[in-house]
């Protein structure tokens, strides 16, 4: 069998690296299976590449947990908090879960970046007329919260998973059937997905489970 | 979605409180867990010492966080990380100095390199070959070494080109030449 031109080293290396153009690939695929010499050179490229990899990997410790912790700290220090607006307090203050949620609850934050579309299909979801009506966001059912503002654009809401005190839910007009009397105790809280609108207003709540 | 790191959870007439949108930080840490080792390998192969390497790594991921907060391009964050780390290393005075005192020297003397060889003889041979290869890598031009190390961490030529500010064909040439020189050593 006549083998016209052997493959260049460059072609073999790039074949190994999966960096061939379509034309080159056709060339290599046509030549390589029939040429023992080029196949050996291809094997040498593979072997050398493997050795280089292990040389590079050698002597570098796998993990530095302290460094990760340091990064976490620096990331937390890095985010900028907007200045709070001076706004008066009201009865809604009893929604205590907003204030001290901080660390523990925030660990469970769940942000879902796909709600805008779905919400805009449900412009009446935050209606105050039907507080007991539910609406769906991506298959998840939410109870609209009474102070949601339907006039604001709902362009980028989040779902936030957090512990919500039962009393706070009740005072917001959202009742749910407790599974036991214990769950009714005022200091009880439930795990809930809270839908938060772009303006920071809670649009709805979906109770997940009793703590 | 372009969201800040902190979102306001504000209820009318109720005071202003904030919830942290941890999604960016989570993404940064995801990338950290996945890429810190390849990045360290790269930096150490450049001749950056351990201490600088740690600092550069921290700075690289803090910049990733800023990049995400600013709504920066997310199409190839891996290559972005290597590029930033590379530039930070270039800027640091101590980087790019070492040519013979790479991270591997310690491992060599400590005999940490596993050869997988059956006999002691094989093992010695493999170790010797590794030492030679390591030395030869230090003899390469900086561009050749950089290209080969980035390649070994799985970057495509196009990505390497982006990290090093070279053309894709120059990357190919560097890899090709570098391999040729290393092949001669073995
Ligand atoms: Zn051939």
């Amino acid at each position: 069998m006549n083998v016209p031109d052997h493959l260049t080293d460059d072609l073999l290396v790039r074949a190994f690296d999966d960096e061939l153009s379509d034309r080159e690939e056709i060339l290599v695929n046509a030549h390589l299976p029939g040429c023992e010499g080029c196949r050996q050179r291809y094997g040498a490229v593979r072997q050398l590449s493997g050795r280089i990899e292990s040389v590079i990997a050698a002597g570098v410790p796998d993990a530095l947990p302290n460094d990760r912790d340091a990064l976490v700290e620096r990331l937390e220090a890095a985010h900028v908090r907007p200045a709070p607006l001076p706004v008066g307090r009201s009865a809604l203050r009893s929604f205590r879960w907003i204030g001290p949620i901080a660390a523990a609850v925030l660990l469970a934050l769940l942000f879902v970046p796909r709600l805008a579309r779905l919400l805009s299909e449900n412009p009446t979801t935050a209606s105050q007329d039907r507080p007991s009506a539910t609406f769906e966001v991506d298959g998840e059912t939410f109870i609209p919260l009474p102070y949601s503002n339907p006039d604001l654009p709902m362009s980028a809401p989040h779902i936030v998973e957090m512990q919500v005190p039962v009393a706070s839910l009740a005072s917001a007009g959202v009742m749910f059937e407790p599974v036991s009397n214990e769950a009714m105790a005022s200091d009880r809280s439930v795990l809930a997905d809270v839908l938060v609108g772009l303006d920071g207003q809670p649009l709805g709540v979906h109770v997940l489970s009793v703590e | 979605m372009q969201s800040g790191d902190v979102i306001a959870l504000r209820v009318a007439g109720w005071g202003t409180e904030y919830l942290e949108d941890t999604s960016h930080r989570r993404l940064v840490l995801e990338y950290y867990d996945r890429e810190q080792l390849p990045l360290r390998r790269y930096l150490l192969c450049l001749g950056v010492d351990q201490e600088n390497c740690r600092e550069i790594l921290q700075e690289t991921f803090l910049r990733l966080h800023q990049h995400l907060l600013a709504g920066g391009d997310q199409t190839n964050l891996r290559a972005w990380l290597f590029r930033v780390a590379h530039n930070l290393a270039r800027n640091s005075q101590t980087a790019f100095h070492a040519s013979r005192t790479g991270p591997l020297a310690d491992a060599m003397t400590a005999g940490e390199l596993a050869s997988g060889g059956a006999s002691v003889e094989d093992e010695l041979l493999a170790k010797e070959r590794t030492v030679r290869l390591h030395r030869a890598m230090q003899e390469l031009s900086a561009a050749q070494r950089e290209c080969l190390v980035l390649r070994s961490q799985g970057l495509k030529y196009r990505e390497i080109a982006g990290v090093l500010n070279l053309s894709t064909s120059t990357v190919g040439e560097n890899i090709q030449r570098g391999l040729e020189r290393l092949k001669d050593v073995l």
Side-chain angles (χ1 to χ4, degrees):
Chain A
M1 190 173 75
N2 181 31
V3 183
D5 286 309
H6 289 295
L7 301 172
T8 61
D9 285 347
D10 168 59
L11 270 184
L12 288 171
V13 169
R14 287 191 293 112
F16 177 75
D17 289 345
D18 199 14
E19 295 278 352
L20 296 178
S21 69
D22 290 349
R23 247 185 74 199
E24 290 169 331
E25 204 174 326
I26 291 168
L27 193 77
V28 169
N29 286 338
H31 181 88
L32 208 53
C35 181
E36 178 62 25
C38 283
R39 278 214 308 278
Q40 272 182 11
R41 285 162 58 228
Y42 183 81
V45 169
R46 191 209 316 262
Q47 194 180 37
L48 180 57
S49 303
R51 282 189 183 144
I52 291 170
E53 257 176 61
S54 44
V55 164
I56 289 167
V60 180
D62 270 358
L64 302 166
N66 292 343
D67 286 1
R68 193 187 195 278
D69 294 345
L71 179 65
V72 170
E73 264 176 43
R74 288 171 78 172
L75 284 173
E76 275 166 12
H79 72 251
V80 184
R81 283 173 181 277
L85 302 172
V87 185
R89 312 275 154 171
S90 81
L92 282 164
R93 185 97 174 101
S94 64
F95 235 77
R96 286 166 302 168
W97 47 278
I98 299 298
I101 38 174
V105 170
L106 288 173
L107 287 174
L109 288 190
L110 187 73
F111 292 100
V112 182
R114 61 202 141 108
L115 304 175
R117 176 175 43 83
L118 290 144
L119 269 182
S120 58
E121 289 167 11
N122 277 310
T124 59
T125 50
S127 164
Q128 298 192 18
D129 305 328
R130 298 176 290 115
S132 60
T134 59
F135 62 98
E136 274 197 18
V137 174
D138 230 17
E140 185 170 1
T141 307
F142 284 87
I143 303 168
L145 293 173
Y147 39 78
S148 297
N149 186 346
D151 297 333
L152 284 160
M154 291 186 278
S155 57
H158 292 85
I159 291 178
V160 182
E161 186 183 297
M162 56 172 63
Q163 289 291 339
V164 184
V166 170
S168 301
L169 277 177
S171 68
V174 178
M175 310 299 289
F176 70 101
E177 309 223 340
V179 290
S180 70
N181 286 337
E182 259 182 68
M184 283 297 280
S186 57
D187 59 339
R188 289 279 144 183
S189 63
V190 292
L191 186 66
D193 275 350
V194 177
L195 195 63
V196 182
L198 184 65
D199 63 327
Q201 297 226 45
L203 299 171
V205 64
H206 175 177
V207 174
L208 298 171
S209 67
V210 177
E211 194 181 41
Chain B
M1 178 178 61
Q2 306 296 331
S3 57
D5 209 30
V6 177
I7 58 165
L9 177 53
R10 213 159 61 222
V11 181
W14 195 56
T16 308
E17 306 289 351
Y18 297 99
L19 285 174
E20 294 172 78
D21 179 350
T22 55
S23 55
H24 286 134
R25 270 182 283 162
R26 222 169 33 204
L27 190 60
V28 170
L29 290 172
E30 257 173 47
Y31 270 90
Y32 180 85
D33 292 338
R34 210 179 316 144
E35 304 298 347
Q36 58 93 11
L37 186 57
L39 283 166
R40 273 189 304 126
R41 283 174 180 159
Y42 179 61
L43 290 171
L44 293 172
C45 282
L46 292 188
V48 179
D49 64 62
Q50 290 275 5
E51 205 38 56
N52 268 303
C53 180
R54 301 174 93 160
E55 200 39 57
I56 288 171
L57 219 63
Q58 295 268 317
E59 183 61 31
T60 299
F61 284 96
L62 288 174
R63 290 197 185 192
L64 173 62
H65 186 226
Q66 289 162 9
H67 177 74
L68 294 172
L69 286 178
D73 185 21
Q74 294 192 25
T75 44
N76 194 342
L77 289 178
R78 181 161 205 256
W80 187 94
L81 285 169
F82 275 94
R83 185 181 169 84
V84 170
H86 175 88
N87 291 335
L88 287 172
R90 273 240 185 275
N91 293 341
S92 93
Q93 289 295 322
T94 51
F96 295 91
H97 281 188
S99 55
R100 270 152 232 278
T101 54
L104 314 173
D106 302 341
M108 301 290 158
T109 49
E112 281 170 18
L113 290 170
S115 66
S119 71
V120 179
E121 217 169 296
D122 284 349
E123 219 166 281
L124 279 174
L125 246 156
K127 199 172 277 182
E128 192 192 310
R129 201 165 47 202
T130 310
V131 171
R132 254 187 316 182
L133 183 59
H134 171 243
R135 278 200 198 120
M137 281 189 68
Q138 306 301 335
E139 301 290 340
L140 299 175
S141 76
Q144 287 168 354
R145 192 167 52 241
E146 287 159 11
C147 285
L148 281 177
V149 177
L150 289 171
R151 168 184 181 259
S152 80
Q153 300 310 305
L155 270 72
K156 305 305 289 177
Y157 288 16
R158 178 176 39 81
E159 296 169 333
I160 298 172
V163 172
L164 301 177
N165 259 334
L166 300 171
S167 70
T168 312
S169 59
T170 306
V171 169
E173 276 165 33
N174 276 318
I175 287 171
Q176 167 65 20
R177 299 247 167 84
L179 285 176
E180 255 165 43
R181 287 176 67 177
L182 296 181
K183 193 173 67 184
D184 293 343
V185 173
L186 299 173

